[in-house]
Amino acid sequence: MPIAAVPAYLGREFNEASPGMRFGLLLPIWTDRRDQEREVNHRARAKSNEGDDVKALLKQGMDHAIRQLCQRSRRPLPGLWQKNDFAARDAWKEVKKLSSADRARMQALARRQARAADGLPAVLRLDAVAVAPFTTGLGNEHPLENGFAFLNPYGLPYLPGSGVKGVLRQAARELARGRWGDTLGWSEEKHYALQVGRERVRLSMIDALFGLESRDGDTDHVRGALSFWDVIPQIEGDSLMVEIMTPHQSHYYQSRSDRKSGDSVTPHDSGQPNPICFLTVPPRSRFAFHVVCDVGHLKRLTEPERDGAPDLLANADGDPLWRKLLAAAFEHAFAWLGFGAKTAVGYGAMRRDADAEDRAAKDRVVREAEAQARPAAMSEAMRQIEDFKRAMSQRAQQLQGRRVRPNTQEHERARRLARAALEGSDWTPEEKRAAAEAIEEWLPKVVQADMKDERKKLKLAALRGNA
């Protein structure tokens, strides 16, 4: 059988590998010497002129027969480590399988995202279920003609957050232009302003939430207030799906003359169909969308020409305006735009899953109750550590990758925790180690600190019991 392009000591069975690995590095479609010998013997057994020719070649040895057959223009034998077309057809069966470990990873990632969202002050979660196959990443180069987007290092299908942002921006534009009836609150009027250096940049709702896309030669660049998380589908069933597209004028699209098509490069009805397989996520798979809003960014906006008009943070029926606008854009995208690739022919269509949102809300209430009950069972030392981690996590989310200068309140918070752990007579060795690990993890994420120097100053080695 054809082999994967990996060292021999890895073996040939990759059933426990992730779908992404089986689709990429471990794809068994490359011709082995044994494949060549098997094909030569198969052709030699045929009762035909070709069979007689191959038998004659074999009289001079297998190496000679393989070399001659590889050089033929008609039905050439695949060369060593060349793609094996017959194996490529069988490879799809192996690629699409999902193991119990794959499903466990999908569920674990979904739980991790849900719990990370619980600790954020301004987040919108929407659940959806696919009503059509979903696919993405088809433009990625791959030996099987069409690629697919897998999230590394997990090797699971995913919808990139950048793709979600692009679809919702388009949905907001379509709603704002009023071509679908009610604008649902969206507008392209530049009602807002933001001070950027010495300049005052005018922004619309779409610019404020998604960012201002500057034109060629323009210097006005403004980031949006919204951050879109990657989406990990919870796949229905135990496998992905393989779909087929069949272009009938491939000679025209590729601008080449084809003997089967009459040596013509123009499109016509006698073009040869060319079936091409590609991977999809099956219908009824579930998608959880998370969008985080930078409230501080929206607070810096002004409305110079709309005195008294509601801003994007104003509450409307218990929800800030930005959440209601975004929910409307999602509904429009679910119904008319779709997510991923090939949306023009119906792929990526979804509908909002109210039942899943109700379950998620109930789970969130349970987690919040557990979180409130947990401090009562903690020691005073562990409460201080958890308070430190929570405060630094929230600050890191606000900074969005930036870091504050040394000797700020965030830096002082780490110093206080280190002093409390070093001087506290009732701190256990385990609690001291937990304090050191919390400082080691969160201080460099928030403060521009030289951790080699900070470890000495805060005596983290002593807290770990290594002094």
Side-chain angles (χ1 to χ4, degrees):
M1 61 178 290
I3 60 174
V6 295
Y9 64 79
L10 289 178
R12 291 185 170 225
E13 296 295 330
F14 304 111
N15 295 327
E16 298 303 317
S18 68
M21 288 295 289
R22 294 198 303 272
F23 188 66
L25 180 64
L26 306 180
L27 192 68
I29 63 169
W30 309 108
T31 302
D32 190 10
R33 168 70 182 210
R34 285 170 290 186
D35 298 319
Q36 292 178 319
E37 293 177 359
R38 188 181 301 109
E39 180 63 18
V40 170
N41 291 327
H42 174 74
R43 294 187 185 187
R45 289 192 296 269
K47 295 180 180 180
S48 63
N49 291 335
E50 184 188 32
D52 295 337
D53 291 342
V54 175
K55 288 174 186 175
L57 291 172
L58 280 174
K59 291 179 180 179
Q60 301 182 51
M62 180 62 75
D63 290 343
H64 176 76
I66 290 175
R67 188 164 51 252
Q68 293 298 317
L69 292 174
C70 286
Q71 294 174 358
R72 288 189 172 181
S73 58
R74 184 175 180 273
R75 293 191 68 205
L77 187 71
L80 193 64
W81 288 108
Q82 286 184 350
K83 178 183 168 185
N84 190 308
D85 291 331
F86 294 100
R89 299 171 191 173
D90 294 333
W92 291 106
K93 301 175 184 177
E94 300 300 321
V95 168
K96 68 179 185 178
K97 294 178 182 176
L98 293 175
S99 66
S100 57
D102 296 328
R103 298 187 63 79
R105 277 192 292 271
M106 284 188 288
Q107 294 166 5
L109 286 168
R111 288 194 298 270
R112 184 186 300 176
Q113 282 193 325
R115 286 177 179 152
D118 288 346
L120 299 176
V123 62
L124 171 67
R125 170 182 170 138
L126 283 179
D127 287 271
V129 60
V131 297
F134 162 83
T135 187
T136 185
L138 297 183
N140 297 340
E141 292 187 2
H142 193 272
L144 296 182
E145 305 297 337
N146 286 292
F148 194 79
F150 289 99
L151 178 62
N152 292 321
Y154 309 104
L156 297 173
Y158 83 117
L159 171 59
S162 58
V164 179
K165 179 178 181 179
V167 172
L168 291 180
R169 184 197 290 270
Q170 180 60 26
R173 284 172 176 161
E174 291 186 2
L175 289 173
R177 290 166 187 170
R179 297 174 183 173
W180 300 80
D182 190 353
T183 64
L184 300 177
W186 284 99
S187 171
E188 287 188 310
E189 297 295 326
K190 294 187 177 293
H191 296 304
Y192 302 94
L194 182 67
Q195 196 70 30
V196 180
R198 296 181 179 180
E199 297 183 11
R200 200 179 195 192
V201 181
R202 302 299 299 267
L203 304 171
S204 66
M205 284 180 171
I206 299 174
D207 298 332
L209 294 175
F210 294 94
L212 177 62
E213 292 182 317
S214 58
R215 299 178 181 177
D216 292 342
D218 199 343
T219 59
D220 292 339
H221 312 286
V222 178
R223 69 175 179 85
L226 302 180
S227 299
F228 298 81
W229 291 6
D230 295 339
V231 182
I232 312 297
Q234 302 300 297
I235 296 173
E236 179 73 12
D238 58 1
S239 75
L240 299 170
M241 289 175 55
V242 178
E243 301 270 319
I244 298 176
M245 59 175 123
T246 311
H248 283 65
Q249 284 91 24
S250 58
H251 68 284
Y252 166 68
Y253 296 125
Q254 297 173 11
S255 298
R256 60 177 176 80
S257 61
D258 188 345
R259 181 177 59 82
K260 295 180 179 180
S261 301
D263 288 328
S264 172
V265 296
T266 59
H268 49 74
D269 291 340
S270 61
Q272 295 296 309
N274 182 29
I276 300 175
C277 298
F278 61 99
L279 279 177
T280 65
V281 172
R284 296 189 300 278
S285 297
R286 300 177 306 282
F287 293 72
F289 295 87
H290 293 86
V291 185
V292 179
C293 181
D294 182 355
V295 174
H297 180 74
L298 293 184
K299 288 181 177 178
R300 291 192 289 272
L301 297 176
T302 59
E303 297 183 81
E305 297 176 5
R306 297 181 66 191
D307 294 336
D311 63 18
L312 293 171
L313 291 174
N315 283 338
D317 300 328
D319 261 348
L321 181 58
W322 70 266
R323 285 174 59 97
K324 294 182 70 68
L325 291 170
L326 201 56
F330 265 110
E331 293 283 6
H332 182 76
F334 290 154
W336 298 104
L337 299 181
F339 291 85
K342 297 183 71 65
T343 55
V345 290
Y347 286 81
M350 302 182 188
R351 62 172 174 80
R352 194 163 174 177
D353 191 348
D355 292 338
E357 291 180 2
D358 290 340
R359 290 194 299 270
K362 292 176 182 177
D363 291 343
R364 188 161 53 250
V365 171
V366 172
R367 289 195 298 270
E368 289 173 355
E370 291 175 349
Q372 292 175 358
R374 197 176 299 123
M378 287 182 181
S379 65
E380 177 60 29
M382 288 304 299
R383 277 198 290 272
Q384 291 184 46
I385 295 171
E386 290 300 318
D387 289 344
F388 170 80
K389 291 163 66 174
R390 187 181 306 108
M392 296 295 270
S393 174
Q394 292 176 355
R395 188 64 175 129
Q397 180 63 35
Q398 293 171 354
L399 292 170
Q400 293 189 335
R402 304 187 306 277
R403 294 184 297 167
V404 300
R405 294 181 179 180
N407 301 318
T408 55
Q409 61 179 356
E410 292 82 7
H411 202 169
E412 183 57 32
R413 184 178 281 116
R415 291 168 177 163
R416 287 199 303 269
L417 179 61
R419 283 197 301 269
L422 287 167
E423 299 170 2
S425 58
D426 55 345
W427 283 61
T428 66
E430 290 77 13
E431 291 168 343
K432 292 181 179 181
R433 279 196 298 273
E437 290 170 359
I439 294 170
E440 185 87 36
E441 177 184 3
W442 286 105
L443 185 60
K445 293 181 179 179
V446 176
V447 180
Q448 299 171 6
D450 181 354
M451 286 308 297
K452 185 177 181 180
D453 188 42
E454 291 297 328
R455 291 186 192 101
K456 294 179 181 179
K457 291 181 178 179
L458 301 180
K459 300 181 180 179
L460 298 187
L463 289 177
R464 289 193 170 95
N466 298 329

